[in-house]
Amino acid sequence: MSVAEYFEQIYREPDPFQYRNRWYEARKRALTLACLTRQRYHSGWELGCSNGVLTAELAGRCDALLATDLNAAALADAAATTYDRPNVRLAQARHPDQWPDGRFDLIVVSEVGYYLPPQEVVEMAAKLRASLTDDGLLLACHWLHPFDAALSSALQVHRAFARGLEEVFCYQDADMVLQGWGTGLASVAQQEGLR
């Protein structure tokens, strides 16, 4: 079964990952937002936006936010979730094959990388680095446990994403890894003039 077919099957159910009502997902969103190193970003991109629950919260931190997903049903749900966010643009895309123009000072990869084979993860990582502004943050969050549809592990994905970038933060627990990278980014304390 292809990745597109897998998600077609998954999204026959509304909110198949239960982003709206699982504490695990609410906590993961809160951790993601807390790890953002700036209060505001000019141009953000969320890969794997699903039903737009995280997208709606990221929109409050970005002047403009592109949110992409492979699945049309997920994007329709994301459109309903973000209808009141005029700074959000939704697009259907398969990455790394389809890639947006421009560069972003925030790129958020939510649970996407392990649906790609290792070589495509490496290709995607290179494209992500090229799409990041000089002061940009690449943030990735992935489930740590193996599952049938995974073609790469979370750790393989994060190792590929880290190449050529400096780690800004890392949070890992028994279930997930949340990590951010950039190049020469000032810490939050430096930005606030505390050091």
Side-chain angles (χ1 to χ4, degrees), residues 44-77:
W45 176 22
E46 180 191 11
L47 288 79
C49 69
S50 187
N51 62 7
V53 176
L54 176 59
T55 312
E57 295 194 42
L58 289 172
R61 304 280 295 271
C62 296
D63 296 334
L65 178 63
L66 169 63
T68 58
D69 201 279
L70 175 63
N71 185 268
L75 285 169
D77 201 3

Side-chain angles (χ1 to χ4, degrees), residues 1-8 70 94 115-116 149 151:
M1 174 184 313
S2 73
V3 173
E5 291 167 332
Y6 170 77
F7 281 108
E8 286 295 326
L70 175 63
R94 184 193 189 287
Y115 294 107
L116 300 172
L151 301 175

Side-chain angles (χ1 to χ4, degrees), residues 37-183:
T37 55
R38 294 201 314 243
Q39 207 167 9
R40 192 107 190 127
Y41 292 87
H42 173 64
S43 181
W45 176 22
E46 180 191 11
L47 288 79
C49 69
S50 187
N51 62 7
V53 176
L54 176 59
T55 312
E57 295 194 42
L58 289 172
R61 304 280 295 271
C62 296
D63 296 334
L65 178 63
L66 169 63
T68 58
D69 201 279
L70 175 63
N71 185 268
L75 285 169
D77 201 3
T81 304
T82 61
Y83 77 93
D84 60 343
R85 307 287 183 153
N87 60 327
V88 172
R89 181 170 60 94
L90 300 170
Q92 187 172 6
R94 184 193 189 287
H95 306 306
D97 301 336
Q98 298 165 301
W99 210 258
D101 293 330
R103 295 177 74 204
F104 303 88
D105 57 349
L106 175 64
I107 300 176
V108 176
V109 182
S110 302
E111 311 286 348
V112 171
Y114 39 48
Y115 294 107
L116 300 172
Q119 186 51 44
E120 284 188 35
V121 171
V122 170
E123 179 186 342
M124 180 187 225
K127 287 184 168 187
L128 287 168
R129 284 190 295 277
S131 294
L132 200 61
T133 62
D134 293 340
D135 63 345
L137 175 68
L138 170 59
L139 180 150
C141 184
H142 288 87
W143 176 252
L144 285 171
H145 305 288
F147 58 99
D148 290 343
L151 301 175
S152 296
S153 73
L155 297 179
Q156 285 175 309
V157 172
H158 284 238
R159 274 195 300 270
F161 286 7
R163 286 188 196 122
L165 297 173
E166 300 166 14
E167 185 178 78
V168 177
F169 61 82
C170 181
Y171 171 81
Q172 184 172 332
D173 62 26
D175 299 313
M176 67 170 213
V177 58
L178 172 66
Q179 217 166 354
W181 308 271
T183 305

Side-chain angles (χ1 to χ4, degrees), residues 2-22:
S2 73
V3 173
E5 291 167 332
Y6 170 77
F7 281 108
E8 286 295 326
Q9 183 178 16
I10 293 279
Y11 279 102
R12 288 182 186 146
E13 298 291 323
D15 196 12
F17 299 104
Q18 298 183 25
Y19 291 128
R20 289 187 170 93
N21 56 22
R22 272 197 181 130

